[in-house]
Amino acid sequence: MPRTRPSSVLFVCLGNICRSPLAEGVMMAVLGERGRDNGIVIDSAGTNGYHTGEAPDRRSIAVAAKYGLDISAQRCRQLEPADFTKFDLILGMDRGNLAAIRRRMPAGGTADIGMFSAIALGKDIEIPDPYYGGPEDFEQVYRMILAASQSLAERF
Ligand code: 4NP
């Protein structure tokens, strides 16, 4: 963890409809439960723009709702150059996301960049893309994101 106390985190996946919207919702909830959400900016984006403006995937909305979270008002957006100075930390869900984030880092970008599980848990594991999977894959993604968020929240 390069910074001891980040105040802004951007979660990034490929489409910004499955994993990173869940991470945004779960991380905000975990910080809120701990009273650590004051002045904290949490957002999410995708490396591609295929779903720009759309709500999260209905399966991500469903698994979030199952655990008491409403992420349905989020809208998909693509990662943009300004994100690299706006956010302290930009976290990719898998190695492909991480490579895409690094490639887009503009000159003068100041954000620390890493893979979510590696930064949060010290585990070099990917949060797998559930897009072509079933509800059990979304459940697994939710659990992985919750564990990583609980650990990351300790640093705020
Ligand atoms: P995400 O999942 O990166 O977790 O949002 C995906 C969403 C859409 C696509 C792929 C992955 N897609 O190919 O449209």
Side-chain angles (χ1 to χ4, degrees):
M1 187 78 171
R3 282 173 223 246
T4 46
R5 285 174 70 84
S7 62
S8 53
V9 180
L10 181 68
F11 293 107
V12 174
C13 59
L14 179 63
N16 189 215
I17 55 169
C18 297
R19 292 166 290 176
S20 60
L22 259 183
E24 177 184 336
V26 169
M27 188 70 198
M28 267 326 280
V30 168
L31 288 170
E33 283 162 12
R34 293 162 193 233
R36 294 186 183 195
D37 54 343
N38 245 350
I40 303 291
V41 176
I42 305 292
D43 196 4
S44 65
T47 59
N48 76 31
Y50 299 158
H51 299 275
T52 295
E54 293 179 17
D57 187 285
R58 60 187 162 70
R59 298 164 296 175
S60 282
I61 291 175
V63 76
K66 180 178 167 186
Y67 293 101
L69 288 179
D70 181 3
I71 63 165
S72 64
Q74 290 186 35
R75 291 297 175 264
C76 174
R77 73 170 181 89
Q78 191 169 14
L79 179 67
E80 57 187 31
D83 291 324
F84 290 85
T85 43
K86 181 175 175 195
F87 291 91
D88 293 334
L89 198 51
I90 300 180
L91 298 176
M93 299 290 139
D94 63 31
R95 290 187 185 86
N97 307 149
L98 186 58
I101 296 164
R102 290 200 197 285
R103 277 198 303 274
R104 282 158 202 227
M105 174 93 151
T110 49
D112 292 317
I113 295 167
M115 199 162 71
F116 189 19
S117 295
I119 296 291
L121 296 165
K123 291 183 186 168
D124 191 29
I125 50 171
E126 300 182 299
I127 297 180
D129 183 350
Y131 189 64
Y132 294 105
E136 68 283 2
D137 297 291
F138 281 80
E139 185 79 31
Q140 183 201 14
V141 162
Y142 173 84
R143 288 175 193 277
M144 293 179 82
I145 284 172
L146 179 62
S149 297
Q150 287 169 334
S151 181
L152 188 63
E154 295 300 320
R155 326 266 183 89
F156 282 77

